[in-house]
Each structure stands twice: as C-alpha cells, then as structure tokens.
Amino acid sequence: MSELIVFAFPNEKGASEMDEAINRLKKEQLITLDDAAIVVRNHDGKVKVKQAVDLVGTGTVGGAFWGMLIGLLFWMPWLGMAVGAITGAIAGKLTDYGINDDFIHEVAETIEPGGSGLFLLISKWTEDKVLDELATFNPKVVRTSLSKEEEHKLKAAFGAGE
C-alpha cells in the first residue's frame, strides 16, 4: 500500500531541491514513487503545481506507437501513427491517477506565500536511509496517510517531534 507524505518548505526552492535528492534516491533504488508533485505558492498567493508524471506526453508516445503498429497492418502507418498520437494525448489528458489534484490544491492553500511543498506517494522505501538523506532539507511534515505512531516518528526524524 502506498503512503502519502506532504512536506512544506519556507522558500520556493526547497521542494525542488528535495525532489532532486529524491530522484537520486530513486536511481539508488532506495525509494519507489507512485506519484509526486511540487507546489510553489508565490508571494502574491498564486499556486503553481508541477506533476511528476506528464500523462499527455506519455499518452502521445504510446498512442503513436500503437497507431503505427495498427497502421502497418492496414498499410497506412503514418495515418495510424497520427491518429494514435492524437488519441493517446487525449487519453493522457483525461487520465488522472496518483495524488488527487483537488487534494493538492487544498493542501497548497495551507503553504505560506513564498513557500513550496512536495507531495510524495511512496510505494516502497528504505525508510532509515531515505530519512537520513532528506533530513538535511529541514522540511515540515504537513500531512501523511501514516499511522499516528509512524507520523510522530517521521516528524521526530525531521526535528519536529510533538
């Protein structure tokens, strides 16, 4: 089962810097994510959301491949590829999985103006090694789907034990 953890940072760069560390940890296979999002709340209060997975791009490439394959069967590979790419892009745009967009925007409103947040949907992790690496960023744990005991442990790892 996946666990959701939302971190907040007092500046706009905190979430993206921690995301870079997460990507290094992914390469070392210390963490596996189902989804991630970075939220930046400008000083004027406007919220920008950057999803980790671009479903439109993924759908376009996948659709183009399948469209070309089907087009080859009917001796029209380019037409099949074009139709497949368009269909894949539309499907990618309409598909939403992972962290709910409404939830991201709701929590983003609690982040201070000029701050940022990192949403992680973690499917697997080597908890002690990941926490050691991420503690250097001094994030504030905003929300989790963890049990109260696990959440307390997480907050304590980042120096904010209750």
Side-chain angles (χ1 to χ4, degrees):
M1 185 170 123
S2 297
E3 302 291 349
L4 175 69
I5 302 174
V6 181
F7 297 103
F9 302 87
N11 57 45
E12 292 183 7
K13 293 182 180 180
S16 60
E17 290 171 352
M18 190 168 170
D19 186 51
E20 289 173 13
I22 295 280
N23 286 325
R24 284 192 309 273
L25 294 169
K26 283 171 39 180
K27 289 177 185 172
E28 296 173 23
Q29 298 190 10
L30 294 173
I31 189 167
T32 304
L33 300 178
D34 289 336
D35 196 8
I38 296 174
V39 171
V40 176
R41 189 162 187 207
N42 296 333
H43 290 286
D44 62 3
K46 291 184 181 176
V47 175
K48 292 183 193 172
V49 178
K50 178 186 167 207
Q51 291 283 138
V53 179
D54 178 18
L55 296 174
V56 175
T58 305
T60 301
V61 172
F65 170 76
W66 288 108
M68 185 176 77
L69 186 63
I70 292 168
L72 281 172
L73 295 174
F74 295 102
W75 300 98
M76 295 183 292
W78 296 111
L79 179 62
M81 191 166 102
V83 171
I86 292 168
T87 305
I90 292 170
K93 182 72 175 166
L94 298 176
T95 302
D96 188 17
Y97 71 92
I99 305 170
N100 181 287
D101 291 345
D102 293 335
F103 175 76
I104 291 173
H105 286 286
E106 175 189 324
V107 175
E109 292 299 321
T110 67
I111 294 172
E112 295 293 323
S116 61
L118 180 61
F119 292 69
L120 301 175
L121 192 57
I122 302 169
S123 61
K124 186 176 88 173
W125 63 332
T126 307
E127 187 175 341
D128 58 341
K129 291 182 179 181
V130 172
L131 291 179
D132 287 346
E133 178 73 24
L134 300 183
T136 60
F137 295 95
N138 299 315
K140 176 183 174 190
V141 178
V142 178
R143 296 247 183 118
T144 75
S145 63
L146 301 170
S147 69
K148 289 185 181 203
E149 180 182 315
E150 290 172 324
E151 185 171 341
H152 179 70
K153 181 179 167 185
L154 180 68
K155 287 180 178 180
F158 295 122
E162 293 177 33

